[in-house]
Amino acid sequence: MLKIGEFSKLSQLTVKTLRFYEAEGLLVPAAVDPDSGYRFYETDQLMQAAQVKCLRQLGLSVAEVGLALKGEDMRPLLLKKAGELQEQREGIEQRLAIIDHLLKEETMTYQVVKKEIPACIVYSAETVLPTYADAMSWIPQLGQEMRRLNPDLACAEPPYEFCEYLDGEYQATNVRIRHSESVVDFGVESDSITFREIPATTVLSVLYRGAYDGIGEAYAYLMKYAQDNGYEPAGLSRECYIDGIWNKESVEDWLTEIQLPIA
């Protein structure tokens, strides 16, 4: 029989790890001296130790290893672990691609992040505006009408408000636009305002600072970023106006978030 120190060297498992596996019932000593407490292992337990070590290196939990040692079918556990490792590999490859994308840039003008937008109820309205700039007067009018129809209906917290351009491409005039703002519940509708529930959405997000006539550059960057990193668009892009004419004196301080829904 082998003392625990000898067994540790042969199995390449630390004494601390062997004591842990003993406590978990994975690798119990063949004998324990009642007086000294010394632990002894049989040489044939080295095979069991190798099996435990192998399964743990694959990322299986102690409980899963225990099931394997009891003779449970390992295929479901291994298939599950293979799926988890595949997801990790895809995540690592995606991050490496993003790092490569950033390293190729001469200057990091924009920073793209992936974020989750939770499902929410929104009130919405659609119209055709003469120009993009007219949205800044149209949107407040919608808010006033919504509050007139629903004086007790509160906006959701944190707030979420965005515009979508329904033409799918840039239009200098006759801009088809839809504005939406999240609220806590459905309310009274009108000819112009309706309520709908939008599902949880994963988006790529980029922040743009400055006048709206230069925002096309940020859009182009975001679309190229999505293409270069294997993201598939899954809906119309959204503009969220964080700072603007209502709270900033200089157009250089206007801040807009562009969100691109992805599959």
Side-chain angles (χ1 to χ4, degrees):
M1 297 182 74
L2 301 170
K3 293 181 180 180
I4 191 171
E6 297 170 323
F7 191 80
S8 170
K9 291 179 182 178
L10 291 173
S11 65
Q12 294 190 331
L13 294 170
T14 66
V15 171
K16 182 179 179 181
T17 299
L18 289 172
R19 291 187 181 276
F20 172 71
Y21 287 161
E22 177 188 354
E24 295 294 328
L26 297 183
L27 193 57
V28 179
V32 178
D33 188 294
D35 297 323
S36 65
Y38 290 164
R39 284 152 170 76
F40 299 91
Y41 294 83
E42 299 284 0
T43 53
D44 58 10
Q45 286 185 283
L46 288 169
M47 294 291 293
Q48 185 178 353
Q51 184 181 9
V52 172
K53 186 174 183 178
C54 173
L55 295 176
R56 290 289 284 158
Q57 287 178 339
L58 292 178
L60 270 65
S61 67
V62 169
E64 290 171 333
V65 173
L67 292 175
L69 295 179
K70 291 176 183 178
E72 292 277 346
D73 183 6
M74 287 297 298
R75 287 186 59 81
L77 289 176
L78 293 176
L79 287 171
K80 176 186 175 184
K81 179 55 63 176
E84 293 173 355
L85 292 173
Q86 179 65 29
E87 289 182 1
Q88 292 175 17
R89 181 170 68 180
E90 290 173 356
I92 291 171
E93 289 176 349
Q94 190 175 82
R95 290 194 290 272
L96 286 171
I98 292 170
I99 290 172
D100 183 63
H101 177 90
L102 293 174
L103 289 174
K104 289 178 180 177
E105 294 183 15
E106 294 183 4
T107 59
M108 295 184 186
T109 308
Y110 302 103
Q111 287 76 46
V112 178
V113 298
K114 185 165 71 170
K115 59 196 293 187
E116 303 297 326
I117 306 298
C120 60
I121 299 168
V122 299
Y123 76 86
S124 295
E126 297 180 17
T127 192
V128 177
L129 297 173
T131 67
Y132 285 95
D134 293 302
M136 293 302 104
S137 58
W138 174 67
I139 293 172
Q141 293 173 12
L142 292 178
Q144 293 171 9
E145 181 176 357
M146 199 285 291
R147 287 188 290 273
R148 178 180 60 80
L149 293 168
N150 302 277
D152 298 322
L153 182 58
C155 292
E157 291 293 339
Y160 184 49
E161 184 176 8
F162 60 93
C163 285
E164 298 162 290
Y165 295 97
L166 307 179
D167 294 302
E169 59 184 18
Y170 176 77
Q171 298 287 336
T173 59
N174 297 324
V175 180
R176 294 176 59 233
I177 183 174
R178 176 168 62 202
H179 173 266
S180 302
E181 184 171 4
S182 60
V183 289
V184 297
D185 203 352
F186 290 87
V188 178
E189 298 184 339
S190 67
D191 291 339
S192 57
I193 290 179
T194 60
F195 288 82
R196 62 192 175 102
E197 186 170 3
I198 57 175
T201 309
T202 303
V203 303
L204 295 179
S205 166
V206 67
L207 292 172
Y208 166 78
R209 190 180 296 278
Y212 301 130
D213 56 7
I215 202 170
E217 178 184 297
Y219 268 102
Y221 182 93
L222 183 59
M223 296 303 178
K224 185 177 186 304
Y225 179 96
Q227 182 179 10
D228 290 349
N229 292 284
Y231 291 108
E232 193 70 30
L236 295 170
S237 56
R238 304 171 181 177
E239 283 186 14
C240 303
Y241 306 110
I242 300 171
D243 292 322
I245 193 172
W246 57 90
N247 67 341
K248 297 294 182 180
E249 294 183 0
S250 173
V251 296
E252 295 178 355
D253 295 326
W254 293 2
L255 185 63
T256 305
E257 180 185 10
I258 304 171
Q259 297 177 348
L260 176 65
I262 54 174

